[in-house]
């Protein structure tokens, strides 16, 4: 297999450095160049502060940077016809829409709410469970994260709920808070609960509660390295793909 050369956008951020370290364990790819406004970190590859200065030929871009860099990076990727693994969080709805509806028509784009293979396997499992148990079990999602996380529920919890809803015959309502709802739980309802505390990296549980039995499927992240591994696997997956929108479900399906 030909070596896959990666441009790592946001290389000097926390996740950029995690990916740099993890890439040493991948013999099929290497970080050939980095992009970051901060060039004070010593990396084993050249780092550019501007895409205009990057003269390294690459096969895939992994982006773990900032939504502010989105427009320039996407313009560069489309001009050079380079596939993009988009890992940056906090994109606006306009940016997400552009990525899915416009950019993916021109270049291969890999985009998932969560880059963990384990979380995406959980999503595939709960979709099957929800379809099988529909109408007989109540569904609740509990997510736990560190005390610095601002958004609640997490994007992953919402992605899990959306995946469940897509697999059901009838759409369920999302309920985020029950303290002000003085009434019984509805049958067509997915409850979502957010816990914030300490240094929890990420914990997602899906509870199917039926008559006299409970089924629980959960995933716990012990470190952020799992997201880096997912990004590198996504880069390998995307390198030879045609233009289009891809996600972890495509990667999982290809490896089944």
């Amino acid at each position: 297999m030909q070596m896959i050369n990666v441009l790592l956008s946001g290389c000097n951020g926390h996740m950029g450095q995690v990916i740099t370290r993890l890439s040493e364990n991948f013999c099929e790819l290497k970080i050939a160049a980095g992009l970051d406004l901060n060039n004070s970190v010593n990396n084993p590859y050249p780092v550019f502060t501007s895409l205009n200065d990057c003269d390294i030929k690459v096969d895939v871009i992994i982006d773990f940077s900032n939504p502010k860099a989105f427009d320039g990076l996407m313009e560069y990727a489309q001009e050079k016809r380079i596939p993009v693994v988009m890992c940056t969080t906090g994109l606006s709805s306009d940016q997400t829409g552009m990525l899915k509806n416009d950019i993916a028509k021109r270049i291969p784009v890999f985009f998932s709410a969560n880059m963990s293979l384990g979380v995406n396997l959980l999503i595939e499992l709960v979709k099957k469970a929800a379809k099988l148990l529909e109408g007989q079990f109540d569904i609740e999602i509990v997510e736990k994260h560190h005390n610095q996380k601002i958004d609640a529920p997490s994007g992953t919890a919402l992605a899990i709920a959306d995946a469940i809803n897509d697999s059901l015959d009838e759409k369920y309502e999302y309920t985020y808070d029950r303290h002000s709802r003085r009434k019984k739980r509805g049958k067509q309802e997915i409850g979502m609960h957010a816990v914030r505390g300490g240094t929890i990296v990420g914990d997602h549980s899906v509870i199917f509660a039926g008559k006299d039995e409970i089924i629980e499927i959960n995933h716990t992240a012990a470190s952020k390295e799992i997201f880096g591994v997912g990004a590198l696997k996504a880069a390998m997956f995307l390198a030879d793909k045609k233009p289009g929108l891809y996600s972890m479900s495509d990667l999982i399906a290809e490896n089944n």
Side-chain angles (χ1 to χ4, degrees):
M1 176 183 290
Q2 185 177 354
M3 179 67 71
I4 298 169
N5 291 316
V6 175
L7 170 62
L8 180 55
S9 175
C11 63
N12 289 337
H14 175 71
M15 281 306 303
Q17 288 298 290
V18 168
I19 290 173
T20 296
R21 177 166 45 80
L22 291 173
S23 67
E24 296 175 1
N25 300 321
F26 284 72
C27 58
E28 302 93 341
L29 60 71
K30 70 173 183 179
I31 310 298
L35 177 69
D36 205 299
L37 292 176
N38 169 24
N39 61 357
S40 62
V41 180
N42 188 20
N43 290 298
Y45 49 79
V47 177
F48 302 93
T49 57
S50 171
L51 282 169
N52 295 328
D53 299 328
C54 182
D55 56 356
I56 307 294
K57 187 179 185 305
V58 298
D59 304 299
V60 184
I61 296 171
I62 296 178
D63 182 39
F64 254 114
S65 60
N66 188 290
K68 293 180 180 178
F70 179 86
D71 291 341
L73 188 65
M74 291 303 100
E75 185 178 330
Y76 178 86
Q78 291 178 87
E79 179 186 341
K80 303 288 186 181
R81 299 289 178 181
I82 305 173
V84 175
V85 178
M86 177 54 65
C87 305
T88 292
T89 58
L91 296 180
S92 69
S93 57
D94 287 344
Q95 289 173 324
T96 301
M98 188 185 306
L99 192 70
K100 294 180 177 180
N101 302 320
D102 299 323
I103 298 171
K105 293 179 180 178
R106 303 184 182 97
I107 59 173
V109 172
F110 192 102
F111 184 65
S112 284
N114 189 298
M115 293 303 295
S116 160
L117 285 168
V119 164
N120 285 277
L121 179 57
L122 175 144
I123 290 174
E124 294 301 315
L125 292 172
V126 298
K127 284 166 59 177
K128 293 180 180 179
K131 185 64 179 175
L132 183 63
L133 304 173
E134 184 172 1
Q136 304 171 63
F137 285 67
D138 297 323
I139 305 171
E140 299 283 307
I141 299 172
V142 181
E143 56 94 348
K144 305 172 187 175
H145 284 87
H146 53 85
N147 58 22
Q148 299 301 301
K149 187 171 179 61
I150 299 173
D151 57 315
S154 68
T156 299
L158 289 169
I160 293 170
D162 289 344
I164 290 173
N165 236 342
D166 289 343
S167 68
L168 299 175
D169 292 332
E170 297 186 43
K171 295 298 181 185
Y172 279 35
E173 173 192 4
Y174 298 167
T175 300
Y176 303 100
D177 191 358
R178 287 201 174 88
H179 84 278
S180 61
R181 293 166 62 103
R182 304 288 294 177
K183 61 180 182 179
K184 293 181 180 179
R185 185 190 198 284
K187 285 187 67 69
Q188 292 181 321
E189 182 177 318
I190 298 176
M192 281 192 272
H193 313 274
V195 176
R196 297 290 175 267
T199 58
I200 303 170
V201 175
D203 187 297
H204 294 86
S205 296
V206 184
I207 302 165
F208 296 92
K211 181 175 174 54
D212 300 327
E213 59 181 332
I214 296 172
I215 300 168
E216 186 169 351
I217 304 173
N218 70 286
H219 175 274
T220 300
S223 80
K224 291 187 176 182
E225 285 195 4
I226 60 172
F227 310 123
V229 170
L232 290 165
K233 287 184 178 292
M236 292 169 55
F237 165 85
L238 199 65
D240 62 352
K241 293 295 184 288
K242 295 178 180 179
L245 183 65
Y246 302 89
S247 68
M248 273 293 175
S249 60
D250 298 304
L251 193 158
I252 291 171
E254 186 173 90
N255 286 277
N256 280 344

